[in-house]
């Protein structure tokens, strides 16, 4: 009925009113009111006692609502009142202000006669049903929204409104209907809008609340229950709350009230925990390529949408609210959500759960923008310890996990590095580079030098595999273009320049090197240069807020060598054994801590429980493992070996790496794993043994674990045993083929070549196993601090070294992250990644060394595969098609033409080769752009 | 030759390539315009050629960036009274102008061009040629070429930089050196009749300044050209110059994050952050 009033009659009514003079309106209003009063008084329970006209005002102190209700009110009288009231409201709304902002006569009458309060009591007199509430709520909504003069300043208007609101909050008959809630929130939102426009009303709201016996900010308290509500009601409530938050920034009373007398912050923060608990604990991963939650992904998950809405709201509150509210909220989020909920979730028992939590964490970080909230999230990651292990260390150690957890972790780090946050970069990278232990002492002074002559770029580009040399690539793909190379020799008075058009090799005097006027340039390289310039200058500007330049002088290396930094760190960094999955140290055959540390520090008998569990489930995943998991400290080694064994058991030697989708591997996946339905097979394969390289890898890890393992001797014995059996098994089919030579991994020529015959049964001892890294400290070097660039860089480089066997998307992530790092202008990092002339300590693997190793793997591979060039061309076409389809996706869904021959994605070497070549260009471009960018004045 | 630790590393057979000067004369085979691209797979044996290939395709980038790096160094030096600008057509040619603020050549405004050899930084030293031959013992009275070589007998990469040449070109006007002159007449006057020398210098300065508003000698969009003050043209440019530092910071707002207290290497060591324990 009321809605009909609100929506239907209003238009007509106001039209009618237009020509009518105010006096007539006043007369009509009074008339209506007189009629209403008649009916009201007829049913006034107090009338007989008091007898006066205005006697029934006020609710009285403790009188329950029910006490007013006696005797049924006939329906015709109720609707008569309603009809009159409708007309009266229109008259009130349409009334203009009086002169000088005085009340118009109708409003004055309303105030004098206390019309609204009496109407509210009337509605209480009748059954105070949801319909009644709705009617009243809509009445006020209309009045506040459409009245032409301010109403809320008048207590006789405000008071009944507050009574109505409190009756909605304290409804004894259980929760109100959703219609009432919707209307209530709408009205509250409207009131907040009025507050935002006219803060002077605020005072009145507080005072009126006090009249009600509770010194609370009723509007605000009523909104709190709707904070986490989904849909438009929740959105409206949050918008309204934000208006109040903005008010709080300027109004100390409001801020103090919210912080001290309301549950706003706890509700908000613990609400996050509640919403988080309803998120799926395992995600249905769409494909093996998947590694982070994009908008398309999370929009499919209503629970996640709701969580993000609330998180976004927290972000907004922190942005606008008073610092006291901000600090309180941030504290509750840390203590009420991150620590009790997210930390355990990051240490769940199964890979899928942990992976899912990691993806959520990544999404959360990407979803917030307020520094204070980022501060909370980041300090949780960097400083919080779960089971005595820093979250960050756990996350870093997971980069090297097989399965999708590794790539999801990589994606998280991509996000973290993209924040340009000094604290993050300090913990991940700079902490380890500041002491300058990773380089030769003499190199410190060249740390800041720029590569004036693009020497590093040239060295990087010279690693281009021969099969990918710009001239070998057939025309459609090779982006060579002839560019007019003018030498600016217009000045005819310059003698030597006259020969410029001549194509000739010149004399020895070096005076006039003559080149052709046209040269073929790799024009795609121009794009890399352009991108590099943008990334670097963006990064430079972002890093302006950092505390130090990290240039090898500030912070001073001496102060952080061993004594201070590392000791400070001892308590902070967990022992290796506590890190799950960790073989991140493999890339650098050293330990971050000298042996003494490990010996003096009490090492727990067993790793934390969650790690044991995780390990157990992981081992269960791999079918038919004949190795007791407890015998190994190094999980990844377990994976490698078990996967190898499986491959052999099914009768397929690993010698056919060009066909990685062998049944053997399928079988590995079809095992008990199947609840993990998606093909994270790829990541298992990529980590597992599609090439003999991996065996070397595991060998490497094996000898590595010697350092790590407490029961190293036992472990090594078992390991060798395993290697021996494997070696014996696989050598026969290889020999039968009579074709496959033991592939070798070419290291830099000063290092030993790997002879895979050493895996034969005759030479099982470790001593005879050549180390892939000639300089690796053997047992003798235990107990000495060995230069180390930190687990993060090490693990990145170690994964990069496996580029040929990594799947495409892993390589895209890896190279992407390294490119992000390469954009950082800090000389410590820049010189480590891009200065190919730096001399590092022998135990430190540089990016350049790793790239050289990848190049050699590729050269080997291409030399042994006749159809490599064709595959390579096809892969380049596939990648180009992929890129254009991604681009088309962004604009509109438009199916793009597929290349004729599609190279299967499991031909990882082929894709890796293409990617490697492009990555070299990308890095070279970074090196060149760093050399010419003018840094901010601070560098002066 | 080869210098400065270029010889470390380099995997095996590839070693030969990067150690060569990036733009050395032997490094850059002339590529016939209509060369047929090789489509066959390269055997390992061809890898050295391929390294050359990389050089042929990227060599010009190395040269370009070497020169840009030199230019960046010049800017960083903030040489007093010297302005240079690479030409539009080639980074191997820079236009410049020197303002002499005191001494014998006071009020002189000398335009010049720097020519950089295209095997930079492994070739000869750059040449500096004044647009109008200044009367000076070290400046050729016909060609206007400055004797740069006396200061840079051998151009050494990493040690010699173009800003030094520019600095040298300025210094000669403040401190006259009469040894082995390119302009013997000037030296004779300098030694024998200093007054005449001085008046010849004054004449030369006048002559140079009288040609100030001439069209640039080399037709290039980036050539330095002077014109009388014209508010319609110059006022705006001047304003822009004075506003530069503000404009520079106005770019799209990007801010990184840092809660590290200066002087500390502990994350979240700044104090003015919300406590959360």
């Amino acid at each position: 009925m009321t809605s009909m009033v609100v929506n239907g009659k209003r238009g007509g009514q106001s039209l009618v009113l237009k020509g009518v003079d105010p006096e007539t309106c006043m007369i009509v209003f009074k008339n209506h009111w007189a009629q209403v009063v008649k009916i009201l008084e007829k049913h006034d329970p107090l009338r007989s006692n008091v007898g006066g006209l205005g006697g029934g005002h006020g609710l009285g102190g403790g009188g329950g609502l029910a006490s007013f209700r006696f005797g049924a009110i006939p329906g015709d009288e109720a609707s008569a009142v309603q009809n009159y009231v409708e007309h009266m409201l229109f008259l009130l709304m349409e009334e203009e202000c009086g002169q000088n902002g005085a009340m118009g006569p109708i409003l004055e009458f309303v105030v004098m006669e206390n019309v609204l309060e009496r109407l509210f009591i009337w509605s209480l007199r009748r059954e105070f049903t949801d319909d009644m509430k709705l009617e009243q709520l809509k009445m006020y909504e209309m009045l506040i929204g459409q009245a032409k003069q301010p109403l809320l300043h008048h207590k006789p208007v405000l008071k009944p409104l507050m009574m109505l609101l409190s009756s909605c909050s304290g409804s004894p008959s259980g929760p109100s209907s959703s219609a009432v809630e919707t209307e209530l929130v709408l009205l509250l939102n409207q009131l907040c809008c009025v507050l935002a426009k006219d803060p002077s009303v605020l005072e009145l709201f507080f005072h009126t609340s006090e009249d009600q016996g509770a010194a609370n900010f009723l509007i605000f308290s009523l909104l709190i229950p709707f904070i986490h509500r989904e849909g438009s009601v929740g959105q409206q409530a949050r918008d309204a709350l934000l208006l109040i938050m903005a008010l709080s920034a300027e109004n100390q009373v409001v801020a103090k009230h919210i912080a001290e007398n309301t549950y706003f912050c706890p509700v908000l923060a613990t609400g996050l925990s509640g919403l988080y608990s309803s998120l799926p604990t395992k995600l249905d991963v769409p494909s093996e390529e998947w590694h982070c939650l994009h908008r398309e992904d999370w929009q499919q998950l209503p629970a996640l949408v709701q969580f993000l809405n609330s998180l976004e709201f927290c972000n907004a509150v922190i942005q606008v609210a008073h610092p006291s509210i901000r600090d309180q909220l941030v504290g509750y989020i840390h203590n009420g959500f991150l620590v009790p909920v997210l930390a355990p979730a990051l240490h769940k028992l199964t890979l899928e759960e942990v992976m899912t939590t990691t993806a959520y964490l990544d999404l959360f970080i990407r979803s917030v923008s307020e520094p204070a909230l980022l501060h909370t999230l980041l300090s949780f990651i960097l400083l919080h310890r779960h089971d005595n292990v820093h979250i960050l260390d756990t996350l870093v150690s997971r980069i090297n996990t097989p399965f999708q957890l590794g790539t999801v972790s990589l994606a998280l780090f991509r996000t973290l590095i993209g924040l340009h946050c000094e604290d993050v970069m300090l913990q991940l990278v700079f902490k380890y580079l500041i002491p300058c232990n990773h380089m030769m002492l003499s190199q410190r002074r060249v740390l800041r030098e720029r590569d004036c002559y693009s020497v590093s770029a040239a060295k990087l580009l010279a690693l281009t595999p021969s099969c990918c040399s710009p001239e070998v690539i057939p025309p459609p793909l090779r982006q060579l273009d002839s560019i007019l190379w003018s030498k600016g020799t217009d000045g005819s008075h310059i003698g030597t320049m006259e020969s410029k058009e001549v194509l000739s090799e010149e004399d020895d005097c070096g005076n006039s090197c003559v080149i052709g006027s046209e040269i073929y340039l790799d024009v795609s390289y121009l794009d890399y240069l352009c991108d590099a310039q943008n990334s670097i200058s963006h990064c430079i500007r972002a890093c302006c807020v950092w505390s130090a330049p990290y240039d090898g002088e500030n912070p001073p290396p001496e102060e952080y060598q061993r004594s201070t930094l590392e000791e400070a760190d001892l308590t902070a960094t967990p022992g290796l054994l506590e890190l799950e999955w960790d073989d991140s140290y493999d890339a650098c055959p050293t330990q971050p801590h000298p042996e003494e540390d490990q010996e003096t520090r009490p090492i727990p008998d067993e790793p934390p429980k969650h790690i044991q569990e995780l390990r157990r489930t992981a081992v269960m995943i791999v079918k038919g493992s004949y190795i007791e998991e407890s015998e190994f400290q190094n999980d990844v080694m377990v994976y490698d070996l078990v996967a190898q064994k499986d491959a052999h058991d099914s009768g397929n030697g690993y010698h056919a790496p060009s066909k990685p989708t062998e049944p053997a591997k399928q079988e590995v996946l079809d095992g008990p794993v199947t609840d993990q339905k998606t093909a994270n097979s790829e990541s298992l394969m990529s980590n597992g043994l599609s090439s003999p390289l991996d065996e070397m890898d595991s060998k490497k890890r094996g000898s590595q674990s010697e350092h790590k393992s407490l029961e190293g001797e036992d472990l090594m014995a078992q390991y060798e045993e395993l290697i021996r059996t494997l070696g014996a098994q696989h050598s026969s089919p290889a020999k039968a083929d009579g074709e496959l030579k033991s592939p070798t991994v070419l290291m830099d020529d000063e290092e030993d070549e790997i002879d895979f015959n050493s895996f034969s049964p005759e030479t099982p001892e470790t001593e005879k196993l050549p180390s892939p890294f000639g300089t690796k400290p053997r047992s003798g070097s235990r107990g000495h601090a060995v230069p180390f660039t930190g687990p993060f860089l090490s693990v990145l480089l170690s994964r990069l070294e496996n580029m040929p066997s990594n799947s495409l998307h892993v390589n895209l992530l890896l190279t992407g992250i390294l490119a992000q790092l390469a954009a950082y202008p800090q000389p410590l990092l820049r010189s480590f990644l891009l200065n190919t002339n730096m001399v590092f300590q022998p135990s430190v693997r540089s990016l350049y060394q790793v790239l050289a190793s990848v190049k050699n793997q590729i050269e080997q591979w291409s030399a042994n595969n006749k159809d490599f060039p064709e595959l390579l061309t096809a892969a380049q076409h596939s990648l180009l098609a992929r890129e254009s389809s991604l681009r088309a996706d962004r604009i509109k869904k438009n199916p793009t033409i597929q290349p004729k021959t599609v190279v299967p994605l499991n031909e990882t070497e082929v894709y890796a080769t293409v990617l490697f070549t492009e990555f070299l260009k990308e890095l070279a471009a970074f090196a060149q752009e760093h050399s010419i960018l003018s840094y901010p004045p601070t560098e002066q | 030759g080869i210098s400065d630790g270029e010889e470390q590393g380099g995997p095996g057979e590839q070693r030969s390539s990067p150690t060569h000067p990036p733009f050395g004369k032997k490094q850059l085979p002339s590529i016939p315009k209509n060369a047929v691209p090789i489509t066959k797979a390269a055997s390992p044996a061809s890898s050295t050629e391929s390294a050359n290939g990389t050089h042929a395709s990227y060599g010009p980038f190395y040269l370009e960036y070497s020169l840009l790096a030199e230019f960046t160094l010049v800017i960083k030096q903030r040489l007093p009274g010297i302005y240079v600008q690479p030409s539009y057509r080639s980074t191997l040619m820079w236009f410049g102008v020197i303002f002499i603020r005191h001494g014998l050549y006071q009020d002189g405004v000398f335009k010049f061009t720097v020519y950089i050899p295209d095997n930079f930084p492994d070739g000869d030293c750059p040449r500096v040629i004044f647009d109008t031959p200044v009367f000076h013992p070290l400046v050729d009275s016909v060609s206007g070429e400055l004797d740069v070589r006396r200061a840079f007998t051998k151009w050494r990469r990493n040690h010699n930089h173009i800003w030094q040449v520019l600095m040298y070109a300025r210094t000669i006007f403040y401190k006259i050196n009469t040894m082995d002159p390119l302009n013997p007449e000037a030296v004779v006057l300098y030694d024998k009749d200093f007054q005449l020398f001085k008046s010849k210098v004054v004449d030369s300065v006048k002559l140079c300044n009288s040609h100030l508003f001439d069209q640039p000698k080399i037709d290039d969009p980036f050539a330095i050209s002077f014109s009388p003050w014209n508010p319609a043209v110059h006022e705006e440019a001047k304003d822009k110059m004075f506003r530069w530092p503000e404009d520079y910071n106005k770019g799209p707002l990007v801010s990184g994050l840092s809660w590290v207290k200066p002087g500390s290497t502990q994350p979240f060591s700044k104090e003015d952050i919300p406590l959360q324990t």
Side-chain angles (χ1 to χ4, degrees), chain A residues 375-388:
Chain A
H375 175 274
T376 313
L377 282 167
L378 296 175
S379 68
F380 165 72
I381 294 174
L382 266 54
L383 302 181
H384 180 67
R385 280 188 242 173
H386 188 86
D387 280 348
N388 220 26

Side-chain angles (χ1 to χ4, degrees), chain A residues 479-532:
Chain A
Q479 300 209 3
L480 291 187
D481 222 339
S482 116
I483 282 181
L484 187 68
W485 183 248
S486 154
K487 290 176 290 171
T489 50
D490 307 37
S492 54
H493 57 294
I494 307 300
T496 47
M497 302 305 181
E498 274 153 28
S499 58
K500 73 166 182 168
E501 292 300 330
V502 185
L503 292 168
S504 68
E505 299 264 353
E506 262 295 320
D507 54 28
D508 281 342
C509 72
N511 201 5
S512 54
C513 161
V514 176
I515 54 176
S517 55
E518 261 179 279
I519 285 187
Y520 285 101
L521 293 177
D522 182 353
V523 291
S524 72
Y525 188 61
L526 286 170
D527 296 329
Y528 283 111
L529 287 169
C530 188
D531 279 356

Side-chain angles (χ1 to χ4, degrees), chain A residues 141-159:
Chain A
E141 186 218 317
M142 215 163 68
L143 274 179
I144 292 161
Q146 295 173 40
K148 294 179 173 167
Q149 48 189 334
L151 299 177
L152 292 172
H153 287 96
H154 308 291
K155 206 168 171 186
V157 178
L158 195 60
K159 191 178 163 196

Side-chain angles (χ1 to χ4, degrees), chain A residues 343-389:
Chain A
L346 279 169
H347 297 80
K348 284 261 180 76
L349 299 186
T350 69
L351 283 169
E352 298 102 308
E353 286 175 306
V354 166
M355 182 206 79
T356 302
T357 314
T358 309
Y360 287 150
L361 179 58
D362 173 51
L363 176 64
F364 300 161
I365 295 171
R366 282 186 283 126
S367 306
V368 303
S369 60
E370 266 308 294
L373 190 49
L374 277 170
H375 175 274
T376 313
L377 282 167
L378 296 175
S379 68
F380 165 72
I381 294 174
L382 266 54
L383 302 181
H384 180 67
R385 280 188 242 173
H386 188 86
D387 280 348
N388 220 26
V389 182

Side-chain angles (χ1 to χ4, degrees), chain A residues 810-829:
Chain A
V810 168
N811 282 335
L812 284 171
L813 263 172
L814 279 173
T815 54
I817 290 174
L818 281 160
Q820 274 183 309
L821 291 174
Y824 275 88
Q826 288 73 19
L828 276 175
L829 183 54

Side-chain angles (χ1 to χ4, degrees), chain A residues 282 349-353 402-405 581 613-625 629 638-639 642-643 646 665-678 680-681 683-684:
Chain A
K282 293 174 189 179
L349 299 186
T350 69
L351 283 169
E352 298 102 308
E353 286 175 306
F403 314 109
Q404 222 143 354
L405 177 57
W581 308 111
E613 280 302 319
L614 189 60
R615 181 177 294 155
R616 198 180 341 272
T617 48
V619 171
M620 293 289 283
I621 283 173
V622 183
K623 187 188 154 205
S625 88
E629 75 263 28
V638 177
Y639 290 129
V642 170
D646 279 8
K665 285 181 178 148
Q666 291 301 343
E667 208 183 307
V668 170
L669 299 166
D670 292 342
V673 206
T674 39
D675 56 325
Q676 223 183 343
K677 37 172 89 78
T678 48
N680 21 16
S681 39
S683 51
L684 174 62

